[in-house]
C-alpha cells in the first residue's frame, strides 16, 4: 500500500512538471474567469447573507434576504412563469431546428442560399429583433400579424396583451431568434453521419421521413439530448424578451425569474434580495448543469 | 488527491482574501491638485459635439477664470441605478451628480450625499426654498441635495386634435376639463370627430403607477400611512381607490377612448401622443425632450392644469437635483454651489445667473426643443429669479403661448395641492399599481375591490413589513 502511494505521488509530480507549460498557458484564462465569473459568483453568494447598502455589505443577517424573496407573493408566480417559458420553449422550440437541419441536408438545390437565408435571424442584433417582433405583435391594425388577419377579414387580436398566451408568443419569438444556431449544430451532426447508411436505407425504399426517424435521429440522439438540456438552462435565465416586449406584463403574466432579479437589483435597489434570488437560481442551474455534464459524459462514452 | 486539495485550499483562500479586500474602497479625500486648486468633478457632462457641449465648455472656461482656485473636471456619468451603486461603492461618483427627485430617498438613506446645510448657509441660502421643495431635500433639518428644477404634472393635450374636436376657445386657449368626468367627455368628442384615442396613461416600467398616483390622490386615496412607531401601513384598499381604478377601466371598456395596446412604456406613451394618436395625457414640462424625439410639431403642443378629482385638486411634484457626493470637503461643497450658480441654478439674480438662464433658453432653441412651458419654482416667490425666467421664457417661446397659458398661470394657483411621491417603497408601489392598471385594462370583468384588496395586502407583507 505505502509503496503504491509513493509511486503514484512520484508519477503525479512528473505529470505536473510535464504539464507546467500548459498551466502557464491556461493562466490568462484562469485570471479572467476568476475576475469575471468565479469571484463575482462567490461574492454574490456571500453577500446574499448580508444586509446591503448599495453594493456595500453592512451587517450579517443570515437568511433574511432569502426569506423575503421566498415569502414575496410574486415568488411562486415568477417561478411558475419561468417553468412555463422552459416548457413552451421545449414544445415550440425543439422541433424546428431539428427538422430544418434534416431538410437542409435532404435538398439538393440552393443549399448554400437557403443556409444563409436561414441563418439571417441569428446575425441581427438582439434588441432590434425584439423591437421588430414588438411591431409584428402590435395589438391594433398597424401590427403586422393583424394586417395579415385583416386580409382574411379577421378583427385585430391583442397578442402580447392577452395574458393567457403572452409567454407562448414570447417563446415563438425566442425560437425564431435562436433556432439557427442550434440548427447548424444538428446540421453538422447530420453531415457527419456515414452516407452509406443513407444509401442503404434509400435502396431499401425508405422515404425521407423514415430516413430521418431511423437513420439520422438515432445517430444524433446524444447531441439532441444535450441541446435540450442546454436550452432549458438558457431559457431559465430569460430576461431580455419580457424586459423589452412586455415589461413583465400584463399583470406579471410574463415576469421571469431573471426579470424579477433585474427589478430587485436595478429598479428597486434591493441588492440583497437580488443576490439571494440570484443564488437560488444559481443553485437550480448548478443542478441542471451537473445533469448536463453527466449526460455529456454518457454521450461521449457511447460514441 | 493531495495536489487537488492544495489547489482547492489556495482557491478558497484567494476568494476569501478577495472578499475581504473587495469591499473596502473609499472615496479619496484628496480635493486639491498640484496647483492648490480645489478640484470638483461634475457629472452629466455632454458627450456629443454640439450646442450643449459648447455651452458648458464656455461656462467652465469663464468659471475657472473668475475662480482661479477651482478646477472643474468633466465627468460624463449620468445617474443610472444600474451603475450608481457600483460607482458609489468604488468611490467614483462625480463630486457633483444630478438625478431625479425620485432618487433622493435612495441617496440620503444610503449616505451618498454630503450634508450641504452649512455650505448653503455660507453661500447665503437662508430661507430661500419653497416649503414643498424643502421637505423633499432635507432630513432632520439638514439639507442633502441642491434642487435645480421642479415641475408638476399637468394635462397635456394635442392642440390639433382639440381644434378638430371643437374644444378650443376663440382666443386660442383650450377649454379646460375641470374633472375626470370632463376628461371622458372631451375624450369622447375627440374619438367621435377624429377617431383618435381620447386619454391614456402609461402602464409599464413603473410609470403607470407614477402617473396614476395623482389621479388616485384626487379621488381621496393615500397609499401609505406612517405610524408613530416608525412602521408603515398600506392604506389603499378603499372605495376611493376602487373608483379611481374604475375610471381607468372605463376609459377602455365603457367609453372606448383608450388605445388598443395597453402595454405602454414611457416611449410608447409619448410616441402615441407626439404622433397625434392621443388627445390628452398627463405630463410634466420636461416631456418636451420626449416629444422632440418623436418630432411633435411645436404648434400642437399644449398643456393645462390637471383636472380636479371627487376629493381634491392635487398634482404630483417632481424635479431634478444636484447632489454633492459624500466625503466631499468644505471647499468642494463651496465650489460645487458656486458652479451650480454659474449654470443658472442659484437663487440670486446677478449677472452670472442672468447670463446662464438666458443661455439655457438659447441652447434649447438651438437644439430644437420646445420652449414656452413654465416650471414650478424651486425658490420662494419673492426671489427675482422666477420673474426673470418668465421674461426669458416669453422672449424665447417657440410654442403657442396661448396653448400653455392655463398651465403656466396655474403654477401660482395655491388651490392646487402639491403632492410629492410616497416617501417609502415608491418603486415597489408603482410596480404594484402597474399590475393593477394592466389587469383592469386587459380584463373587462376584473373584480376591482378584490384585486385592490390583494394588492394592498401583498404590498404590505412584501415590502412595508420588511423595512429595515
Amino acid at each position: 500500500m505505502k509503496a503504491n502511494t509513493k509511486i503514484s505521488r512520484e508519477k503525479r509530480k512528473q505529470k505536473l512538471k510535464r504539464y507546467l507549460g500548459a498551466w502557464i498557458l491556461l493562466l490568462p484564462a484562469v485570471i479572467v474567469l476568476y475576475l469575471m465569473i468565479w469571484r463575482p459568483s462567490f461574492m454574490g453568494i456571500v453577500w446574499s447573507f448580508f444586509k446591503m447598502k448599495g453594493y456595500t455589505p453592512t451587517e450579517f443577517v443570515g437568511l433574511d434576504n432569502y426569506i423575503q424573496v421566498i415569502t414575496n407573493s410574486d415568488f411562486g408566480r415568477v417561478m411558475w412563469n419561468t417553468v412555463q417559458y422552459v416548457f413552451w420553449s421545449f414544445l415550440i422550440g425543439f422541433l424546428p431546428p431539428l427538422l430544418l437541419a434534416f431538410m437542409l441536408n435532404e435538398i439538393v438545390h440552393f443549399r448554400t442560399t437557403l443556409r444563409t437565408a436561414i441563418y439571417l435571424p441569428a446575425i441581427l442584433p438582439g434588441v432590434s429583433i425584439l423591437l421588430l417582433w414588438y411591431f409584428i405583435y402590435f395589438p391594433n391594425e398597424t401590427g403586422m400579424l393583424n394586417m395579415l388577419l385583416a386580409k382574411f377579414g379577421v378583427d385585430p387580436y391583442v397578442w402580447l396583451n392577452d395574458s393567457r398566451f403572452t409567454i407562448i408568443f414570447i417563446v415563438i419569438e425566442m425560437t425564431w431568434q435562436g433556432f439557427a444556431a442550434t440548427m447548424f449544430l444538428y446540421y453538422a451532426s447530420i453531415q457527419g453521419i456515414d452516407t452509406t447508411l443513407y444509401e442503404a436505407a434509400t435502396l431499401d425504399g425508405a422515404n425521407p421521413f423514415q430516413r430521418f426517424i431511423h437513420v439520422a435521429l438515432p445517430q444524433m440522439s446524444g447531441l439532441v439530448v444535450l441541446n435540450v438540456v442546454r436550452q432549458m438552462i438558457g431559457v431559465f435565465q430569460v430576461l431580455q424578451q419580457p424586459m423589452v416586449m412586455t415589461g413583465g406584463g400584463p399583470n406579471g403574466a410574463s415576469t421571469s425569474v431573471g426579470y424579477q432579479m433585474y427589478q430587485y437589483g436595478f429598479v428597486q435597489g434591493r441588492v440583497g434580495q437580488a443576490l439571494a434570488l440570484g443564488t437560488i437560481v444559481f443553485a437550480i442551474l448548478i443542478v441542471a448543469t451537473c445533469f448536463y455534464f453527466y449526460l455529456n459524459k454518457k454521450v461521449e462514452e457511447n460514441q | 488527491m493531495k495536489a487537488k486539495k492544495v489547489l482547492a485550499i489556495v482557491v478558497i483562500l484567494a476568494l476569501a482574501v478577495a472578499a475581504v479586500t473587495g469591499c473596502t474602497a473609499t472615496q479619496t479625500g484628496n480635493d486639491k491638485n498640484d496647483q492648490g486648486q480645489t478640484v470638483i468633478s461634475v457629472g452629466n457632462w455632454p458627450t456629443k459635439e454640439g450646442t450643449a457641449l459648447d455651452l458648458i465648455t464656455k461656462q467652465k472656461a469663464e468659471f475657472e477664470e473668475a475662480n482661479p482656485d477651482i478646477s472643474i473636471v468633466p465627468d460624463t456619468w449620468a445617474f443610472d441605478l444600474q451603475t450608481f451603486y457600483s460607482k458609489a461603492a468604488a468611490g467614483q461618483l462625480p463630486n457633483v451628480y444630478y438625478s431625479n427627485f425620485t432618487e433622493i430617498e435612495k441617496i440620503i438613506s444610503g449616505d451618498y450625499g454630503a450634508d450641504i446645510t452649512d455650505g448653503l448657509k455660507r453661500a447665503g441660502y437662508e430661507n430661500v426654498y419653497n416649503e414643498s421643495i424643502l421637505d423633499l431635500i432635507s432630513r432632520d433639518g439638514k439639507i442633502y441635495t441642491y434642487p435645480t428644477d421642479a415641475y408638476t404634472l399637468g394635462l397635456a393635450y394635442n392642440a390639433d386634435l382639440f381644434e378638430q374636436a371643437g374644444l378650443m376657445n376663440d382666443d386660442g386657449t383650450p377649454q379646460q376639463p375641470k374633472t375626470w368626468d370632463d376628461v371622458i367627455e372631451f375624450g369622447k368628442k375627440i374619438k367621435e370627430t377624429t377617431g383618435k384615442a381620447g386619454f391614456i396613461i402609461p402602464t409599464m416600467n413603473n410609470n403607470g403607477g407614477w402617473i396614476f398616483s395623482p389621479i388616485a390622490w384626487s379621488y381621496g386615496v393615500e397609499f401609505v400611512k406612517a405610524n408613530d412607531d416608525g412602521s408603515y401601513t398600506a392604506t389603499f384598499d378603499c372605495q376611493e381607490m376602487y373608483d379611481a381604478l374604475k375610471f381607468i377601466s372605463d376609459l377602455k371598456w365603457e367609453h372606448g377612448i383608450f388605445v388598443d395596446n395597453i402595454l405602454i412604456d414611457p416611449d410608447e406613451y409619448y410616441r402615441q401622443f407626439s404622433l397625434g394618436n392621443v388627445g390628452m395625457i398627463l405630463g410634466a414640462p420636461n416631456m418636451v425632450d420626449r416629444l422632440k424625439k418623436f418630432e411633435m410639431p411645436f404648434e400642437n403642443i399644449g398643456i393645462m392644469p390637471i383636472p380636479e378629482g371627487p376629493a381634491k385638486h392635487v398634482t404630483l411634484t417632481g424635479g431634478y437635483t444636484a447632489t454633492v457626493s459624500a466625503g466631499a470637503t468644505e471647499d468642494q461643497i463651496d465650489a460645487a454651489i458656486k458652479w451650480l450658480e454659474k449654470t443658472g441654478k442659484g437663487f440670486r439674480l446677478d449677472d452670472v445667473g442672468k447670463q446662464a438662464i438666458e443661455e439655457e433658453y438659447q441652447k434649447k432653441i438651438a437644439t430644437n426643443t420646445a420652449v414656452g412651458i413654465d416650471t414650478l419654482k424651486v425658490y420662494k416667490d419673492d426671489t427675482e429669479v422666477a420673474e426673470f425666467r418668465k421674461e426669458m421664457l416669453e422672449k424665447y417661446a417657440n410654442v403657442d403661448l396661448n396653448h400653455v397659458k392655463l398651465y403656466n398661470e396655474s403654477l401660482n394657483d395655491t388651490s392646487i395641492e402639491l403632492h410629492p411621491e410616497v416617501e417609502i417603497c415608491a418603486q415597489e408601489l408603482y410596480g404594484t399599481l402597474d399590475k393593477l392598471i394592466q389587469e383592469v385594462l386587459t380584463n373587462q370583468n376584473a373584480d376591482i375591490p378584490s384585486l385592490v384588496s390583494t394588492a394592498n395586502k401583498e404590498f404590505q407583507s412584501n415590502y412595508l413589513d420588511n423595512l429595515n
Side-chain angles (χ1 to χ4, degrees), chain B residues 295-309:
Chain B
E295 299 180 349
M296 183 165 187
F298 291 162
E299 67 267 23
N300 291 351
I301 297 178
I303 189 167
M304 50 188 150
I306 196 169
E308 202 175 331

Side-chain angles (χ1 to χ4, degrees), chain B residues 59 62-63 66-67 123-125 146 337-359 379 382-389 391-392:
Chain B
Q59 286 176 335
E62 289 170 1
F63 180 77
N67 301 281
Y125 287 65
Y146 184 109
I337 293 172
K338 266 190 191 153
W339 167 252
L340 288 163
E341 288 179 345
K342 170 65 190 171
T343 57
K345 306 303 181 191
F347 78 98
R348 245 181 252 106
L349 196 66
D350 50 14
D351 289 343
V352 173
K354 271 186 182 169
Q355 185 199 343
I357 290 171
E358 181 148 19
E359 281 170 347
Y379 302 109
D382 54 1
T383 55
E384 301 160 300
V385 175
E387 275 308 306
F388 184 73
R389 276 193 173 270
E391 192 184 306
M392 286 298 114

Side-chain angles (χ1 to χ4, degrees), chain A:
Chain A
M1 256 327 249
K2 220 171 187 185
N4 242 345
T5 43
K6 210 169 187 186
I7 290 168
S8 73
R9 200 175 287 168
E10 274 301 306
K11 254 190 187 164
R12 206 166 283 135
K13 241 185 195 168
Q14 277 176 0
K15 226 179 177 179
L16 204 66
K17 249 184 208 160
R18 204 169 348 131
Y19 292 133
L20 192 65
W23 281 109
I24 291 173
L25 284 176
L26 265 179
L27 201 62
V30 170
I31 291 174
V32 170
L33 280 174
Y34 166 75
L35 286 175
M36 299 297 188
I37 298 180
W38 297 338
R39 183 173 180 275
S41 309
F42 180 79
M43 298 307 302
I45 294 170
V46 172
W47 285 356
S48 69
F49 296 99
F50 281 81
K51 183 177 163 186
M52 301 292 291
K53 198 172 86 180
Y55 290 159
T56 313
T58 53
E59 184 191 336
F60 182 78
V61 291
L63 290 173
D64 265 17
N65 289 323
Y66 289 87
I67 292 169
Q68 287 194 26
V69 165
I70 291 170
T71 56
N72 189 308
S73 53
D74 290 332
F75 182 72
R77 175 92 191 265
V78 164
M79 276 292 169
W80 176 236
N81 281 345
T82 309
V83 170
Q84 285 188 56
Y85 274 107
V86 172
F87 173 77
W88 288 112
S89 78
F90 175 70
L91 213 66
I92 297 170
F94 171 66
L95 277 181
L98 195 58
L99 290 178
L100 273 168
F102 187 70
M103 276 163 56
L104 203 57
N105 189 50
E106 288 286 315
I107 55 170
V108 183
H109 302 292
F110 306 116
R111 197 187 280 186
T112 326
T113 320
L114 270 175
R115 215 160 48 188
T116 316
I118 289 172
Y119 198 63
L120 271 179
I123 60 169
L124 292 173
V127 174
S128 12
I129 293 183
L130 297 179
L131 291 176
L132 192 75
W133 277 83
Y134 177 80
F135 289 110
I136 288 177
Y137 282 138
F138 203 78
N140 67 11
E141 65 281 358
T142 62
M144 199 190 93
L145 286 171
N146 282 337
M147 285 181 183
L148 287 176
L149 287 182
K151 296 247 187 257
F152 300 101
V154 181
D155 281 343
Y157 173 58
V158 294
W159 301 106
L160 293 170
N161 286 352
D162 187 338
S163 55
R164 293 167 301 175
F165 306 120
T166 311
I167 288 181
I168 297 180
F169 292 135
I170 290 179
V171 166
I172 291 174
E173 182 282 329
M174 287 165 78
T175 306
W176 186 88
Q177 187 174 8
F179 79 92
T182 320
M183 187 206 74
F184 272 99
L185 282 177
Y186 290 148
Y187 182 65
S189 165
I190 292 177
Q191 297 263 295
I193 295 171
D194 193 346
T195 46
T196 53
L197 288 174
Y198 272 109
E199 281 160 19
T202 315
L203 279 179
D204 288 343
N207 63 26
F209 180 71
Q210 287 166 327
R211 286 203 294 272
F212 174 64
I213 295 289
H214 297 293
V215 181
L217 215 47
Q219 292 283 321
M220 49 196 288
S221 57
L223 181 69
V224 171
V225 171
L226 287 183
N227 254 321
V228 167
V229 180
R230 229 167 41 99
Q231 186 183 343
M232 280 169 58
I233 295 174
V235 172
F236 202 85
Q237 305 172 67
V238 58
L239 164 66
Q240 254 186 15
Q241 280 80 1
M243 191 164 137
V244 174
M245 293 169 81
T246 63
N251 191 8
S254 61
T255 306
S256 62
V257 173
Y259 190 63
Q260 178 75 9
M261 223 186 306
Y262 172 84
Q263 289 283 323
Y264 275 139
F266 296 132
V267 178
Q268 303 176 353
R270 295 169 170 267
V271 177
Q273 271 115 295
L275 291 172
L277 185 55
T279 306
I280 294 171
V281 172
F282 184 75
I284 295 172
L285 292 183
I286 279 286
V287 173
T289 309
C290 288
F291 182 59
Y292 171 79
F293 281 132
Y294 167 77
L295 283 178
N296 197 8
K297 214 171 149 194
K298 284 264 154 167
V299 169
E300 274 173 5
E301 276 167 7
N302 282 339
Q303 273 168 0

Side-chain angles (χ1 to χ4, degrees), chain A residues 9 12 16 23 34 38-39 42-43 46-47 51 53-57 64 68 71-74 134-135 138-141 158 160-163 166 242-252 255 259-260 262-271 273, chain B residues 1-3 7 11-12 14-16 18-23 81-87 89 106 109-112 204-206 252 260-265 268 271-272 425 427-428 434-436 438-439 442 451 458-459 461-464 466-468:
Chain A
R9 200 175 287 168
R12 206 166 283 135
L16 204 66
W23 281 109
Y34 166 75
W38 297 338
R39 183 173 180 275
F42 180 79
M43 298 307 302
V46 172
W47 285 356
K51 183 177 163 186
K53 198 172 86 180
Y55 290 159
T56 313
D64 265 17
Q68 287 194 26
T71 56
N72 189 308
S73 53
D74 290 332
Y134 177 80
F135 289 110
F138 203 78
N140 67 11
E141 65 281 358
V158 294
L160 293 170
N161 286 352
D162 187 338
S163 55
T166 311
M243 191 164 137
V244 174
M245 293 169 81
T246 63
N251 191 8
T255 306
Y259 190 63
Q260 178 75 9
Y262 172 84
Q263 289 283 323
Y264 275 139
F266 296 132
V267 178
Q268 303 176 353
R270 295 169 170 267
V271 177
Q273 271 115 295
Chain B
M1 246 12 236
K2 207 176 164 197
L7 187 68
V11 168
I12 287 170
L15 287 170
V20 173
T21 54
C23 49
L81 206 55
Q82 299 195 31
T83 47
F84 175 67
Y85 289 132
S86 42
K87 282 260 176 191
K106 288 191 194 79
S109 67
D111 296 329
Y112 300 125
M204 262 170 76
N205 297 2
N206 295 1
K252 182 172 179 85
D260 294 317
N261 177 25
I262 68 96
L263 289 174
I264 305 170
D265 68 3
E268 174 71 2
R271 188 172 76 95
Q272 296 295 354
C425 295
Q427 295 308 319
E428 290 86 338
D434 268 10
K435 287 184 185 171
L436 284 173
Q438 289 174 9
E439 185 61 28
T442 44
L451 283 171
E458 290 181 353
F459 179 66
S461 65
N462 289 348
Y463 303 114
L464 294 182
N466 285 324
L467 298 172
N468 296 310

